[in-house]
Amino acid sequence: MLQPYKHEPFTDFTVEANRKAFEEALGLVEKELGKEYPLIINGERVTTEDKIQSWNPARKDQLVGSVSKANQDLAEKAIQSADEAFQTWRNVNPEERANILVKAAAIIRRRKHEFSAWLVHEAGKPWKEADADTAEAIDFLEYYARQMIELNRGKEILSRPGEQNRYFYTPMGVTVTISPWNFALAIMVGSAVAPIVTGNTVVLKPASTTPVVAAKFVEVLEDAGLPKGVINYVPGSGAEVGDYLVDHPKTSLITFTGSKDVGVRLYERAAVVRPGQNHLKRVIVEMGGKDTVVVDRDADLDLAAESILVSAFGFSGQKCSAGSRAVIHKDVYDEVLEKTVALAKNLTVGDPTNRDNYMGPVIDEKAFEKIMSYIEIGKKEGRLMTGGEGDSSTGFFIQPTIIADLDPEAVIMQEEIFGPVVAFSKANDFDHALEIANNTEYGLTGAVITRNRAHIEQAKREFHVGNLYFNRNCTGAIVGYHPFGGFKMSGTDSKAGGPDYLALHMQAKTVSEMY
Ligand code: NAP
């Protein structure tokens, strides 16, 4: 019997031994930088001439790794391998499948700081954020293992005299997992192992900015005893390989996490029935956010400032759940703004290998340019209170930026920036604050800071987001505690890390037998 699920504790870096262990892991990973990683198709290593190079965003000249790059021929091989493996994997006892996840969790737990150190180097994550990413990966493995065992029992339905009925779940087939770089370990792990534990086989295309940590994870699955072909690792260009995999007639399920534009396009393509395809594809797409922290008149204003700060600037605002908007009641607006600006001015930005830096770089040059251009728009639309500067000479660093007095319809109040920028807007009253909070195309997360019970109840009904928090930040969902997924153009609301998630990877079957 497995112990009941509990989320993986975060590392306490105030303890010297923990700090030392993390520093050792950083040193160990530094020695491993610059290596080559092949594709893995049907358990075989495939090296290509064409490579994806993964660079450290904090040190532009530091090569994290050089990864073979799939083309369409190799993507085809990966699909065939997954299809073949599916014929046996689908029949493996679900408990056996679950045990492989538990074993993989144990391996990562033993090498926890090493995985986090890869995230520091490859994704530019500060220690605390990297540690949380690794903990979440472990959580997905542990949680989905238990969920599968539970799901395997099926659900109660009714039988009648002379007729016995059963209702159970059966896997779908070849799954294409396309993952983002911002939770380069956790989301990649969660969206790869959910199909696996439910009996599907996977072709994994990780983000091109963070393929090395994905390669490390596929090795862990092999060490944990996953049979060949059940996961196939094929980094490649989203446009070239991604489309091919999505369009393939043998693809049954697509699980994508990333931007709205790519997700919507993929959703449309997956709807087309291709020659030789005899099923409709199931699609899970989890996309962007433009998340709001609402501050009521009757609120703890220090808590409000702290919540805005953490929501906006954790991992430099590069979270789908980042609180990139603060909507504040007019009576407390000036005070909350002043407090938040004071806190932001104390934040440190720099190389995340140094624990003293609260914020690291943004992921790459393209992101740097995009965020800086939004800051320029914001300076025209509102009042720059702090930050606004970027430095890309050694890495892609941007100062935490607060822009105030924005119209609710301003560009930087509406579009996902995915960087350390928070836009402040003033609300006349609580109704108005909720109206502004709901005025984007997204509906992912939100937070309300208030002491007013009636307003809490009102927000529960009217604040239209998939994950709503009270009197805290709007980031940091924990597997099994805060099932995660958004409304509107934030996606299909699959609720990763929640009790309904695995069933989305399966087909329910009703079996009725007469006696
Ligand atoms: P992205 O540019 O959309 O990329 C996501 C993945 O899609 C990558 O693996 C990418 O590959 C691939 N891709 C790109 N073009 C493709 C195409 N034409 N066909 C198929 N695949 C394609 O997003 P990102 O910049 O990595 O991630 C940031 C976005 O993800 C933000 O919008 C954020 O809000 C969202 N996000 C959402 C959630 C959630 O749970 N809702 C969680 C995390 C992040 P390449 O890297 O090779 O281009």
Side-chain angles (χ1 to χ4, degrees):
M1 261 299 256
L2 287 175
Q3 303 236 316
Y5 169 77
K6 260 209 293 203
H7 81 87
E8 180 70 15
F10 300 128
T11 305
D12 180 354
F13 289 119
T14 61
V15 176
E16 201 194 336
N18 291 343
R19 285 202 302 275
K20 273 205 161 139
F22 202 90
E23 265 155 15
E24 270 168 31
L26 284 170
L28 193 116
V29 164
E30 193 137 5
K31 289 198 195 101
E32 295 279 304
L33 297 179
K35 289 197 169 163
E36 294 205 355
Y37 299 85
L39 310 179
I40 304 175
I41 299 174
N42 197 25
E44 279 166 27
R45 269 55 185 164
V46 180
T47 302
T48 62
E49 249 174 52
D50 207 6
K51 305 272 193 234
I52 296 173
Q53 295 199 312
S54 171
W55 297 96
N56 181 343
R59 299 184 211 175
K60 291 194 299 185
D61 55 355
Q62 188 174 62
L63 184 66
V64 175
S66 185
V67 179
S68 282
K69 186 174 179 187
N71 55 22
Q72 294 189 356
D73 286 347
L74 291 164
E76 176 64 32
K77 285 204 171 98
I79 292 269
Q80 297 304 338
S81 153
D83 187 45
E84 202 182 308
F86 179 61
Q87 308 316 323
T88 45
W89 182 245
R90 65 190 304 176
N91 295 321
V92 170
N93 182 328
E95 204 146 322
E96 244 176 79
R97 300 198 299 249
N99 281 338
I100 292 176
L101 268 58
V102 175
K103 173 77 182 162
I107 296 172
I108 296 181
R109 197 177 281 114
R110 278 198 288 277
R111 294 168 52 191
K112 198 169 169 182
H113 295 332
E114 179 200 329
F115 270 94
S116 301
W118 280 107
L119 290 166
V120 172
H121 283 98
E122 192 171 37
K125 288 212 161 184
W127 289 27
K128 203 167 144 243
E129 304 281 347
D131 183 62
D133 195 332
T134 307
E136 190 176 353
I138 294 170
D139 287 346
F140 277 129
L141 289 159
E142 296 278 6
Y143 183 78
Y144 291 150
R146 287 162 179 77
Q147 286 289 310
M148 185 61 231
I149 291 168
E150 194 181 312
L151 200 62
N152 188 41
R153 295 189 202 112
K155 292 266 162 78
E156 282 291 310
I157 54 167
L158 300 178
S159 290
R160 300 183 286 196
E163 178 195 77
Q164 195 197 19
N165 300 322
R166 270 201 71 209
Y167 183 83
F168 56 92
Y169 296 94
T170 169
M172 300 185 67
V174 175
T175 302
V176 171
T177 296
I178 300 179
S179 54
W181 52 265
N182 71 328
F183 280 83
L185 186 60
I187 292 181
M188 182 269 304
V189 168
S191 55
V193 303
I196 287 175
V197 78
T198 44
N200 305 288
T201 50
V202 167
V203 177
L204 170 66
K205 198 219 84 61
S208 296
T209 33
T210 54
V212 172
V213 72
K216 295 275 163 197
F217 172 65
V218 175
E219 285 169 10
V220 166
L221 285 179
E222 289 180 331
D223 291 347
L226 193 74
K228 284 190 219 167
V230 175
I231 191 161
N232 300 275
Y233 168 73
V234 288
S237 139
E240 190 193 344
V241 170
D243 279 355
Y244 188 83
L245 295 171
V246 166
D247 293 349
H248 202 286
K250 282 195 172 157
T251 298
S252 289
L253 172 68
I254 297 151
T255 167
F256 165 88
T257 314
S259 61
K260 188 202 78 183
D261 290 348
V262 175
V264 167
R265 187 170 167 278
L266 187 152
Y267 195 71
E268 286 170 3
R269 289 187 84 99
V272 178
V273 177
R274 312 276 165 181
Q277 184 181 327
N278 56 8
H279 59 278
L280 297 174
K281 290 172 188 168
R282 181 89 60 84
V283 188
I284 298 170
V285 290
E286 294 305 323
M287 310 187 290
K290 188 69 190 171
D291 310 303
T292 309
V293 177
V294 168
V295 182
D296 199 4
R297 180 172 49 187
D298 188 7
D300 174 337
L301 303 189
D302 290 313
L303 173 67
E306 185 66 35
S307 304
I308 294 167
L309 191 90
V310 172
S311 305
F313 302 130
F315 189 36
S316 308
Q318 301 173 106
K319 300 183 186 182
C320 53
S321 56
S324 55
R325 312 182 340 142
V327 175
I328 323 272
H329 192 290
K330 64 179 182 348
D331 292 355
V332 294
Y333 180 86
D334 289 339
E335 202 178 335
V336 173
L337 179 60
E338 193 185 307
K339 282 178 188 291
T340 317
V341 170
L343 291 174
K345 283 188 168 157
N346 281 332
L347 296 181
T348 44
V349 183
D351 191 326
T353 52
N354 178 352
R355 188 177 82 92
D356 295 337
N357 286 325
Y358 179 84
M359 274 171 43
V362 299
I363 191 69
D364 60 10
E365 185 163 11
K366 203 167 127 214
F368 179 86
E369 297 300 341
K370 183 178 147 199
I371 297 162
M372 292 308 295
S373 70
Y374 271 117
I375 290 175
E376 286 312 309
I377 295 172
K379 281 187 194 165
K380 293 192 189 101
E381 289 184 320
R383 190 159 55 107
L384 177 69
M385 301 299 299
T386 184
E389 277 151 29
D391 177 358
S392 61
S393 51
T394 54
F396 304 105
F397 299 102
I398 299 180
Q399 293 300 319
T401 299
I402 298 180
I403 298 175
D405 305 347
L406 286 152
D407 185 283
E409 297 297 333
V411 170
I412 68 157
M413 280 289 286
Q414 292 294 322
E415 294 182 14
E416 187 183 45
I417 299 172
F418 224 56
V421 183
V422 58
F424 274 61
S425 190
K426 199 182 280 183
N428 298 330
D429 53 29
F430 193 68
D431 284 347
H432 187 215
L434 288 185
E435 191 189 304
I436 299 172
N438 284 329
N439 82 349
T440 76
E441 63 179 333
Y442 295 108
L444 189 48
T445 78
V448 178
I449 315 297
T450 182
R451 294 194 182 98
N452 184 320
R453 198 71 235 167
H455 285 172
I456 289 178
E457 294 307 323
Q458 182 186 351
K460 281 185 196 167
R461 291 188 302 273
E462 295 175 13
F463 196 162
H464 197 51
V465 291
N467 285 66
L468 179 59
Y469 302 96
F470 290 98
N471 294 316
R472 54 158 284 181
N473 51 310
C474 65
T475 52
I478 291 183
V479 172
Y481 297 70
H482 313 119
F484 191 80
F487 299 163
K488 294 157 76 183
M489 295 311 286
S490 290
T492 46
D493 190 38
S494 62
K495 288 290 187 277
D500 302 326
Y501 189 67
L502 289 190
L504 300 173
H505 301 71
M506 308 190 83
Q507 304 188 107
K509 189 163 185 173
T510 302
V511 173
S512 192
E513 187 176 352
M514 306 301 292
Y515 292 105

